[in-house]
Amino acid sequence: MENKIRVQSQGEYIIEVNDCGDTISLDPTDITLTSKLMKSFERIDELTKDYEARAKAIDARPDEPMNEFISKNQFEGTNLINEFYGEARKALDGFLGADACQKIFGDKNWLTMFDDLTVQLEPHLKAIGVNAEKIRTAAAQKYAPNREARRALK
């Protein structure tokens, strides 16, 4: 006879995320949930700053045709966008769970996808007691460059 135990939280909050019935699960009793959300926001902010700097560098370079369809800068810019969205998806999966972004967005990326997701998630986060705006403000205060800027964010 095999001896087994299974311990799981009783407070799981399940959200259906697509027409196929796929779900994601958030556990409001998970003491790391807010931290995971904050880390996701911070990572996406880092990725955005990196993307903007690298995109500026690509745009500042002289461009040349790569082939008859696309220039070298356009190709590098497209690769940069793909990299950004891939890494941002990983950051969000750190909060939402493994492969959550794939379930939610499928294989498509679009400019407002993360804003669209935030709007859709907000009532669910409120329902489980996570205040995303408060976490964003706390992250901004933490990384504000000086004391006056931190006080202004309060």
Side-chain angles (χ1 to χ4, degrees):
M1 181 169 143
E2 201 172 324
N3 296 319
K4 297 180 183 181
I5 64 169
R6 288 187 178 75
V7 179
Q8 69 185 77
S9 171
Q10 301 301 316
E12 197 171 25
Y13 187 88
I14 298 172
I15 306 166
E16 186 173 315
V17 294
N18 61 33
D19 293 334
C20 297
D22 290 330
T23 61
I24 60 172
S25 167
L26 300 173
D27 185 349
T29 64
D30 177 0
I31 59 174
T32 65
L33 187 66
T34 304
S35 172
K36 289 176 187 176
L37 178 60
M38 192 164 180
K39 285 179 184 176
S40 291
F41 284 154
E42 290 172 354
R43 179 68 180 135
I44 290 171
D45 285 344
E46 289 171 9
L47 290 168
T48 301
K49 288 175 186 169
D50 179 62
Y51 166 80
E52 289 170 350
R54 291 171 61 192
K56 250 185 204 179
I58 290 170
D59 290 343
R61 285 195 298 240
D63 201 4
E64 57 188 63
M66 192 168 163
N67 58 42
E68 63 185 284
F69 303 107
I70 193 168
S71 73
K72 185 177 178 184
N73 287 1
Q74 288 171 328
F75 181 75
E76 287 183 28
T78 300
N79 287 338
L80 180 60
I81 290 169
N82 290 336
E83 180 185 328
F84 169 79
Y85 279 102
E87 291 299 315
R89 282 175 174 246
K90 287 179 191 174
L92 280 174
D93 282 349
F95 168 65
L96 297 172
D99 299 321
C101 286
Q102 183 62 34
K103 293 177 188 177
I104 296 166
F105 302 118
D107 293 329
K108 295 185 211 172
N109 294 319
W110 61 94
L111 291 176
T112 62
M113 64 191 271
F114 299 124
D115 291 333
D116 297 346
L117 176 62
T118 302
V119 168
Q120 294 287 319
L121 277 178
E122 191 168 356
H124 298 287
L125 294 176
K126 283 182 182 175
I128 62 172
V130 176
N131 186 334
E133 189 58 39
K134 188 174 181 180
I135 292 169
R136 281 186 192 206
T137 303
Q141 287 174 336
K142 181 177 178 182
Y143 294 104
N146 58 47
R147 289 176 50 186
E148 290 79 23
R150 284 193 294 275
R151 277 193 228 117
L153 290 168
K154 288 184 180 181

Coordinates of all heavy atoms in Angstrom, one line a residue, residues 66-125:
M66 N 17.9 44.7 -46.6 CA 18.3 43.4 -46.3 C 18.0 42.5 -47.5 O 18.7 41.6 -47.9 CB 17.6 42.9 -45.0 CG 18.2 41.6 -44.5 SD 17.5 41.4 -42.8 CE 17.9 39.7 -42.6
N67 N 16.8 42.7 -48.0 CA 16.3 42.1 -49.3 C 15.3 43.0 -49.9 O 15.1 44.1 -49.4 CB 15.8 40.6 -49.0 CG 14.7 40.6 -48.0 OD1 13.8 41.4 -48.1 ND2 14.7 39.6 -47.1
E68 N 14.5 42.5 -50.9 CA 13.6 43.4 -51.5 C 12.3 43.7 -50.7 O 11.5 44.6 -51.0 CB 13.1 42.8 -52.9 CG 12.4 41.4 -52.7 CD 12.1 40.8 -54.1 OE1 11.2 41.3 -54.7 OE2 12.9 39.9 -54.5
F69 N 12.2 43.0 -49.5 CA 11.0 43.1 -48.7 C 11.2 43.9 -47.4 O 10.2 44.5 -46.9 CB 10.4 41.7 -48.4 CG 10.1 40.9 -49.5 CD1 10.9 39.8 -49.9 CD2 9.0 41.2 -50.4 CE1 10.6 39.0 -51.0 CE2 8.7 40.4 -51.5 CZ 9.5 39.3 -51.8
I70 N 12.4 43.9 -46.9 CA 12.6 44.5 -45.6 C 14.0 45.0 -45.5 O 14.9 44.4 -46.0 CB 12.3 43.4 -44.5 CG1 12.2 44.1 -43.1 CG2 13.3 42.3 -44.5 CD1 11.6 43.1 -42.0
S71 N 14.1 46.1 -44.7 CA 15.5 46.6 -44.4 C 16.1 46.0 -43.2 O 15.4 45.3 -42.4 CB 15.4 48.1 -44.2 OG 14.8 48.4 -43.0
K72 N 17.4 46.2 -43.0 CA 18.1 45.6 -41.9 C 17.5 46.1 -40.6 O 17.3 45.3 -39.7 CB 19.6 45.9 -42.0 CG 20.4 45.3 -41.0 CD 21.9 45.5 -41.2 CE 22.7 44.9 -40.1 NZ 24.1 45.2 -40.2
N73 N 17.3 47.4 -40.5 CA 16.7 48.0 -39.3 C 15.3 47.5 -39.0 O 15.0 47.3 -37.8 CB 16.8 49.5 -39.3 CG 18.2 50.1 -39.2 OD1 19.1 49.4 -39.0 ND2 18.3 51.4 -39.2
Q74 N 14.5 47.4 -40.0 CA 13.2 46.9 -39.8 C 13.2 45.4 -39.3 O 12.5 45.1 -38.4 CB 12.4 46.9 -41.1 CG 12.0 48.3 -41.6 CD 11.4 48.3 -43.0 OE1 11.8 47.5 -43.8 NE2 10.5 49.2 -43.2
F75 N 14.1 44.6 -39.8 CA 14.2 43.2 -39.4 C 14.7 43.2 -37.9 O 14.1 42.4 -37.1 CB 15.2 42.5 -40.3 CG 15.4 41.1 -39.9 CD1 14.5 40.1 -40.2 CD2 16.6 40.6 -39.3 CE1 14.6 38.8 -39.9 CE2 16.8 39.3 -39.0 CZ 15.8 38.4 -39.3
E76 N 15.7 44.0 -37.6 CA 16.2 44.0 -36.2 C 15.1 44.5 -35.3 O 15.0 44.1 -34.1 CB 17.5 44.8 -36.1 CG 18.7 44.1 -36.7 CD 20.0 44.9 -36.5 OE1 20.1 45.7 -35.6 OE2 20.9 44.7 -37.4
G77 N 14.4 45.5 -35.7 CA 13.3 46.1 -34.9 C 12.2 45.0 -34.6 O 11.7 44.9 -33.5
T78 N 11.9 44.3 -35.7 CA 10.9 43.2 -35.5 C 11.4 42.1 -34.5 O 10.6 41.7 -33.7 CB 10.6 42.6 -36.9 OG1 10.1 43.6 -37.7 CG2 9.6 41.5 -36.8
N79 N 12.6 41.8 -34.6 CA 13.2 40.8 -33.7 C 13.2 41.3 -32.3 O 12.9 40.6 -31.3 CB 14.6 40.4 -34.1 CG 14.6 39.5 -35.3 OD1 13.6 38.8 -35.6 ND2 15.7 39.5 -36.0
L80 N 13.5 42.6 -32.1 CA 13.5 43.2 -30.8 C 12.0 43.2 -30.2 O 11.9 42.9 -29.0 CB 14.0 44.7 -30.9 CG 14.0 45.5 -29.6 CD1 14.9 44.8 -28.6 CD2 14.5 46.9 -29.9
I81 N 11.0 43.5 -31.0 CA 9.7 43.5 -30.5 C 9.3 42.1 -30.1 O 8.7 41.9 -29.0 CB 8.7 44.0 -31.6 CG1 8.9 45.5 -31.8 CG2 7.2 43.7 -31.3 CD1 8.2 46.1 -33.0
N82 N 9.6 41.1 -30.9 CA 9.3 39.7 -30.6 C 10.0 39.3 -29.3 O 9.4 38.6 -28.4 CB 9.8 38.8 -31.7 CG 8.9 38.9 -32.9 OD1 7.8 39.3 -32.8 ND2 9.4 38.5 -34.1
E83 N 11.2 39.7 -29.1 CA 12.0 39.4 -27.9 C 11.3 40.1 -26.7 O 11.1 39.4 -25.6 CB 13.4 39.9 -28.0 CG 14.3 39.7 -26.8 CD 15.7 40.3 -26.9 OE1 16.2 40.3 -28.0 OE2 16.2 40.7 -25.9
F84 N 10.9 41.3 -26.8 CA 10.2 42.0 -25.7 C 9.0 41.3 -25.3 O 8.7 41.1 -24.1 CB 9.9 43.5 -26.1 CG 9.0 44.2 -25.2 CD1 9.5 44.7 -24.0 CD2 7.6 44.3 -25.4 CE1 8.6 45.3 -23.1 CE2 6.8 44.9 -24.5 CZ 7.3 45.4 -23.3
Y85 N 8.1 41.0 -26.3 CA 6.9 40.3 -25.9 C 7.1 38.9 -25.3 O 6.4 38.5 -24.4 CB 5.9 40.2 -27.1 CG 5.2 41.5 -27.3 CD1 5.6 42.4 -28.3 CD2 4.1 41.9 -26.5 CE1 4.9 43.6 -28.5 CE2 3.4 43.1 -26.7 CZ 3.8 43.9 -27.7 OH 3.1 45.1 -27.8
G86 N 8.1 38.2 -25.8 CA 8.4 36.9 -25.2 C 8.8 37.0 -23.7 O 8.4 36.3 -22.9
E87 N 9.7 38.0 -23.5 CA 10.2 38.2 -22.1 C 9.1 38.7 -21.2 O 9.0 38.4 -20.0 CB 11.4 39.1 -22.1 CG 12.6 38.5 -22.7 CD 13.1 37.2 -22.0 OE1 13.1 37.2 -20.7 OE2 13.3 36.2 -22.7
A88 N 8.2 39.6 -21.7 CA 7.1 40.2 -20.9 C 6.1 39.1 -20.6 O 5.6 39.0 -19.5 CB 6.4 41.3 -21.7
R89 N 5.9 38.2 -21.5 CA 5.0 37.0 -21.2 C 5.6 36.2 -20.1 O 4.8 35.8 -19.2 CB 4.8 36.2 -22.5 CG 3.9 36.7 -23.5 CD 3.9 35.8 -24.8 NE 2.9 36.2 -25.7 CZ 1.9 35.4 -26.1 NH1 1.7 34.2 -25.5 NH2 1.0 35.8 -27.0
K90 N 6.9 35.9 -20.1 CA 7.5 35.2 -19.0 C 7.3 35.9 -17.7 O 7.1 35.2 -16.7 CB 9.0 35.0 -19.3 CG 9.3 34.0 -20.4 CD 10.8 33.9 -20.6 CE 11.2 33.1 -21.9 NZ 12.6 33.1 -22.1
A91 N 7.5 37.2 -17.7 CA 7.3 38.0 -16.5 C 5.9 37.8 -15.9 O 5.7 37.6 -14.7 CB 7.7 39.4 -16.7
L92 N 4.9 37.9 -16.8 CA 3.6 37.8 -16.3 C 3.3 36.3 -15.9 O 2.5 36.1 -14.9 CB 2.6 38.2 -17.4 CG 2.4 39.7 -17.5 CD1 1.5 40.0 -18.7 CD2 1.8 40.3 -16.3
D93 N 3.8 35.4 -16.6 CA 3.6 34.0 -16.2 C 4.2 33.7 -14.7 O 3.7 32.9 -14.0 CB 4.3 33.0 -17.1 CG 3.5 32.8 -18.4 OD1 2.4 33.2 -18.5 OD2 4.1 32.2 -19.4
G94 N 5.2 34.5 -14.3 CA 5.7 34.4 -13.0 C 4.6 34.7 -11.9 O 4.6 34.2 -10.8
F95 N 3.6 35.6 -12.3 CA 2.5 35.9 -11.4 C 1.3 35.0 -11.7 O 0.7 34.5 -10.8 CB 2.1 37.4 -11.6 CG 0.8 37.7 -10.9 CD1 0.7 37.6 -9.5 CD2 -0.2 38.1 -11.7 CE1 -0.5 38.0 -8.9 CE2 -1.5 38.5 -11.1 CZ -1.6 38.4 -9.7
L96 N 1.0 34.9 -13.0 CA -0.3 34.2 -13.4 C -0.2 32.7 -13.4 O -1.2 32.0 -13.4 CB -0.7 34.7 -14.7 CG -1.1 36.2 -14.8 CD1 -1.3 36.6 -16.2 CD2 -2.3 36.5 -13.9
G97 N 1.0 32.2 -13.5 CA 1.2 30.7 -13.5 C 1.8 30.3 -14.9 O 1.7 31.0 -15.9
A98 N 2.4 29.1 -14.9 CA 3.1 28.6 -16.1 C 2.1 28.6 -17.3 O 1.0 28.1 -17.2 CB 3.6 27.2 -15.8
D99 N 2.6 29.1 -18.4 CA 1.9 29.2 -19.7 C 0.6 29.9 -19.6 O -0.3 29.8 -20.5 CB 1.7 27.7 -20.2 CG 3.0 27.0 -20.4 OD1 3.9 27.7 -20.9 OD2 3.0 25.8 -20.1
A100 N 0.4 30.8 -18.6 CA -0.9 31.5 -18.6 C -1.0 32.5 -19.8 O -2.1 32.6 -20.3 CB -0.9 32.3 -17.3
C101 N 0.0 33.1 -20.2 CA -0.1 34.1 -21.3 C -0.4 33.4 -22.6 O -1.1 33.9 -23.4 CB 1.2 34.9 -21.4 SG 1.4 36.2 -20.2
Q102 N 0.1 32.1 -22.7 CA -0.2 31.4 -23.9 C -1.7 31.0 -23.9 O -2.4 31.1 -25.0 CB 0.6 30.1 -24.0 CG 0.4 29.3 -25.2 CD 0.8 30.0 -26.5 OE1 1.7 30.8 -26.6 NE2 0.0 29.8 -27.6
K103 N -2.2 30.7 -22.8 CA -3.7 30.4 -22.7 C -4.5 31.6 -23.0 O -5.5 31.6 -23.6 CB -4.0 29.9 -21.3 CG -3.5 28.6 -20.9 CD -3.9 28.3 -19.5 CE -3.2 27.0 -18.9 NZ -3.5 26.8 -17.5
I104 N -4.0 32.8 -22.5 CA -4.8 34.0 -22.6 C -4.7 34.6 -24.0 O -5.7 35.0 -24.6 CB -4.3 35.1 -21.6 CG1 -4.6 34.5 -20.2 CG2 -5.0 36.4 -21.8 CD1 -3.9 35.3 -19.1
F105 N -3.5 34.7 -24.5 CA -3.2 35.4 -25.8 C -3.1 34.5 -27.0 O -3.1 35.0 -28.1 CB -2.0 36.3 -25.7 CG -2.0 37.3 -24.6 CD1 -1.1 37.3 -23.6 CD2 -3.0 38.3 -24.6 CE1 -1.1 38.2 -22.5 CE2 -3.0 39.3 -23.6 CZ -2.1 39.2 -22.5
G106 N -2.8 33.3 -26.8 CA -2.5 32.4 -27.9 C -1.2 32.7 -28.5 O -0.3 33.2 -27.8
D107 N -1.0 32.6 -29.8 CA 0.2 32.9 -30.5 C 0.4 34.3 -30.9 O 1.4 34.7 -31.5 CB 0.4 32.0 -31.7 CG 0.5 30.5 -31.3 OD1 1.1 30.3 -30.2 OD2 0.1 29.6 -32.0
K108 N -0.6 35.2 -30.7 CA -0.6 36.5 -31.1 C -0.1 37.5 -30.1 O -0.3 37.3 -28.9 CB -2.0 37.0 -31.5 CG -2.6 36.3 -32.6 CD -4.0 36.9 -33.0 CE -5.0 35.9 -33.5 NZ -6.3 36.5 -33.6
N109 N 0.6 38.5 -30.6 CA 1.0 39.7 -29.8 C 0.5 40.9 -30.4 O 0.5 41.0 -31.6 CB 2.5 39.8 -29.7 CG 3.1 38.6 -28.9 OD1 2.6 38.2 -27.9 ND2 4.3 38.1 -29.4
W110 N 0.0 41.9 -29.6 CA -0.5 43.2 -30.2 C -0.1 44.2 -29.2 O 0.2 44.0 -28.0 CB -2.0 43.2 -30.5 CG -2.9 42.9 -29.4 CD1 -3.5 43.9 -28.6 CD2 -3.3 41.6 -28.9 NE1 -4.3 43.2 -27.6 CE2 -4.2 41.9 -27.8 CE3 -3.1 40.3 -29.2 CZ2 -4.8 40.9 -27.1 CZ3 -3.7 39.3 -28.5 CH2 -4.6 39.6 -27.5
L111 N -0.1 45.5 -29.6 CA 0.5 46.6 -28.8 C -0.2 46.8 -27.5 O 0.5 47.1 -26.5 CB 0.4 47.9 -29.6 CG 1.4 48.0 -30.8 CD1 1.2 49.3 -31.6 CD2 2.8 47.8 -30.4
T112 N -1.5 46.6 -27.4 CA -2.2 46.9 -26.2 C -2.5 45.6 -25.3 O -3.3 45.7 -24.4 CB -3.5 47.7 -26.4 OG1 -4.3 46.9 -27.3 CG2 -3.2 49.0 -27.1
M113 N -1.9 44.5 -25.7 CA -2.4 43.3 -25.1 C -2.2 43.3 -23.5 O -3.1 42.8 -22.8 CB -1.6 42.1 -25.7 CG -0.1 42.1 -25.5 SD 0.7 40.8 -26.5 CE 0.6 39.4 -25.4
F114 N -1.1 43.8 -23.0 CA -0.9 43.8 -21.6 C -1.8 44.8 -20.9 O -2.3 44.5 -19.8 CB 0.5 44.1 -21.2 CG 1.5 43.0 -21.8 CD1 2.5 43.3 -22.6 CD2 1.2 41.7 -21.5 CE1 3.3 42.4 -23.1 CE2 2.1 40.7 -22.0 CZ 3.1 41.0 -22.9
D115 N -2.1 45.9 -21.5 CA -3.1 46.9 -21.0 C -4.5 46.2 -21.0 O -5.2 46.4 -20.0 CB -3.1 48.2 -21.8 CG -1.9 49.0 -21.6 OD1 -1.2 48.9 -20.5 OD2 -1.5 49.8 -22.5
D116 N -4.8 45.6 -22.1 CA -6.1 44.9 -22.1 C -6.2 43.8 -21.0 O -7.3 43.7 -20.4 CB -6.3 44.2 -23.5 CG -6.3 45.1 -24.7 OD1 -6.4 46.4 -24.4 OD2 -6.2 44.7 -25.8
L117 N -5.2 43.1 -20.8 CA -5.2 42.1 -19.7 C -5.3 42.7 -18.3 O -6.1 42.2 -17.5 CB -3.9 41.3 -19.7 CG -3.7 40.2 -18.6 CD1 -4.8 39.2 -18.7 CD2 -2.3 39.6 -18.7
T118 N -4.6 43.8 -18.1 CA -4.7 44.5 -16.8 C -6.2 44.9 -16.5 O -6.7 44.8 -15.4 CB -3.8 45.7 -16.8 OG1 -2.5 45.3 -17.0 CG2 -3.8 46.4 -15.4
V119 N -6.8 45.5 -17.5 CA -8.2 45.9 -17.4 C -9.1 44.7 -17.1 O -10.0 44.8 -16.2 CB -8.7 46.6 -18.7 CG1 -10.2 46.8 -18.7 CG2 -8.0 48.0 -18.8
Q120 N -8.9 43.6 -17.8 CA -9.7 42.4 -17.5 C -9.4 41.8 -16.2 O -10.3 41.2 -15.5 CB -9.4 41.4 -18.6 CG -9.9 41.8 -20.0 CD -11.4 41.7 -20.1 OE1 -12.0 40.8 -19.6 NE2 -11.9 42.7 -20.8
L121 N -8.2 41.9 -15.7 CA -7.8 41.2 -14.4 C -8.2 42.1 -13.2 O -8.4 41.5 -12.1 CB -6.3 41.0 -14.4 CG -5.8 39.8 -15.0 CD1 -4.2 39.7 -14.9 CD2 -6.4 38.5 -14.4
E122 N -8.3 43.4 -13.4 CA -8.5 44.3 -12.2 C -9.7 43.9 -11.3 O -9.5 43.8 -10.1 CB -8.7 45.7 -12.7 CG -8.6 46.7 -11.5 CD -8.5 48.1 -12.0 OE1 -8.4 48.4 -13.2 OE2 -8.6 49.0 -11.1
P123 N -10.9 43.6 -11.9 CA -12.0 43.2 -10.9 C -11.7 41.8 -10.2 O -12.1 41.6 -9.1 CB -13.2 43.0 -11.8 CG -12.7 43.0 -13.2 CD -11.3 43.7 -13.2
H124 N -10.9 41.0 -10.9 CA -10.6 39.7 -10.2 C -9.6 39.9 -9.1 O -9.6 39.3 -8.0 CB -10.0 38.7 -11.2 CG -11.0 38.3 -12.3 ND1 -12.1 37.5 -12.1 CD2 -11.1 38.7 -13.6 CE1 -12.9 37.4 -13.2 NE2 -12.3 38.1 -14.1
L125 N -8.6 40.8 -9.4 CA -7.6 41.1 -8.3 C -8.3 41.8 -7.1 O -8.0 41.4 -6.0 CB -6.5 42.0 -8.9 CG -5.6 41.3 -10.0 CD1 -4.6 42.4 -10.5 CD2 -4.9 40.1 -9.4

